[in-house]
Amino acid sequence: MSGNYWSENSAASAVQTYAVDGADMDSERYLLWIDRVGTFLLCTGDRVSLGGPVSEPPMADVALLATLSRRHAEIVSSGEGYYLQAAAAAQVAGRAVHERTNLADGNEIQLGESVTLRFRLPTIISGTARIDFVSDHRPARSVDAVVLMDDTCILGPGADSHIRCAGWKQPVLLHRSSGQLCCKSRSDIYVDNQHAKTSMPLADGSIVTSVEGRFRLEAVE
């Protein structure tokens, strides 16, 4: 992603106290626009459907521009791991999926004849998973990857980050708290120009800024 998606705001103007109405997780999908890193679809539900484009709702959570059925397959978080539930032709690690199969870190998922995705679990300390696009197929609203969020999502420079932000020195942690989506970091961060001394709730449209970089959270209807 190139350029900035937000108006320029000085972090120095942030105040020390705050009151924010947090995102209450009613939306199960969010776009994360991370400056100089990319755009990511953050899914917070236990089930994420994969399918092809349709002219009328309902459509899949991840509707790929490919020849797939409306709800071709689902990736489901079972509490102990993830599995793929197939409603049409699918393979995991080269083996056909007739109903469902467990997913492991690094598994390639093939949907139909040509769509290939990679399932990843970047760190053992979090159940959050990531779906990377191996083939050229992308959703209509193009994103760089899909993040299936468990309790936490790490944005940072390390290889164990769910979203790799190579130029950052300190990670930013997205996490759930009391039904809200929040963020915190060891470095100073500002949410909508308000200094986040500890964990701070995020709202639809919130802009998070730090010396490392900045990102915007947008709920997907």
Side-chain angles (χ1 to χ4, degrees), residues 196-214:
K197 295 180 180 180
T198 57
S199 176
M200 189 166 180
L202 300 175
D204 181 16
S206 281
I207 298 172
V208 179
T209 308
S210 73
V211 295
E212 315 293 349
R214 58 182 175 175

Side-chain angles (χ1 to χ4, degrees), residues 115-133:
V115 175
T116 306
L117 311 170
R118 181 173 289 112
F119 177 84
R120 294 186 54 220
L121 291 166
T123 174
I124 61 173
I125 66 174
S126 170
T128 293
R130 172 173 166 145
I131 302 297
D132 289 321
F133 302 105

Side-chain angles (χ1 to χ4, degrees), residues 5-212:
Y5 286 84
W6 316 277
S7 60
E8 294 294 330
N9 290 302
S10 171
S13 66
V15 296
Q16 296 299 311
T17 59
Y18 53 83
V20 175
D21 293 328
D24 61 5
M25 310 299 287
D26 282 346
S27 175
E28 293 192 336
R29 293 182 299 154
Y30 298 87
L31 285 175
L32 278 176
W33 307 83
I34 307 177
D35 197 19
R36 297 186 296 276
V37 175
T39 306
F40 301 85
L41 179 63
L42 183 70
C43 299
T44 62
D46 292 333
R47 309 177 74 93
V48 175
S49 56
L50 310 169
V54 294
S55 57
E56 297 179 356
M59 65 178 60
D61 297 318
V62 182
L64 298 159
L65 297 176
T67 306
L68 300 175
S69 61
R70 179 189 296 262
R71 295 291 181 103
H72 201 95
E74 284 187 323
I75 296 178
V76 183
S77 173
S78 66
E80 298 180 354
Y82 292 85
Y83 63 85
L84 183 82
Q85 182 87 43
Q91 297 182 34
V92 171
R95 296 183 178 182
V97 180
H98 299 292
E99 288 188 8
R100 56 180 278 185
T101 191
N102 292 333
L103 293 169
D105 180 37
N107 278 168
E108 283 200 354
I109 300 169
Q110 181 175 322
L111 303 177
E113 297 182 356
S114 58
V115 175
T116 306
L117 311 170
R118 181 173 289 112
F119 177 84
R120 294 186 54 220
L121 291 166
T123 174
I124 61 173
I125 66 174
S126 170
T128 293
R130 172 173 166 145
I131 302 297
D132 289 321
F133 302 105
V134 178
S135 61
D136 292 333
H137 304 91
R138 296 290 187 278
R141 182 178 294 184
S142 183
V143 295
D144 294 288
V146 179
V147 177
L148 312 180
M149 185 171 170
D150 188 33
D151 288 330
T152 60
C153 177
I154 304 169
L155 285 60
D160 59 350
S161 298
H162 300 107
I163 299 177
R164 186 84 179 269
C165 304
W168 295 14
K169 294 182 180 179
Q170 292 287 344
V172 173
L173 184 70
L174 301 181
H175 66 101
R176 304 173 193 253
S177 178
S178 301
Q180 295 182 331
L181 192 60
C182 304
C183 72
K184 61 183 178 180
S185 177
R186 291 180 178 177
S187 63
D188 283 339
I189 60 173
Y190 299 83
V191 177
D192 300 325
N193 271 354
Q194 301 183 71
H195 188 203
K197 295 180 180 180
T198 57
S199 176
M200 189 166 180
L202 300 175
D204 181 16
S206 281
I207 298 172
V208 179
T209 308
S210 73
V211 295
E212 315 293 349

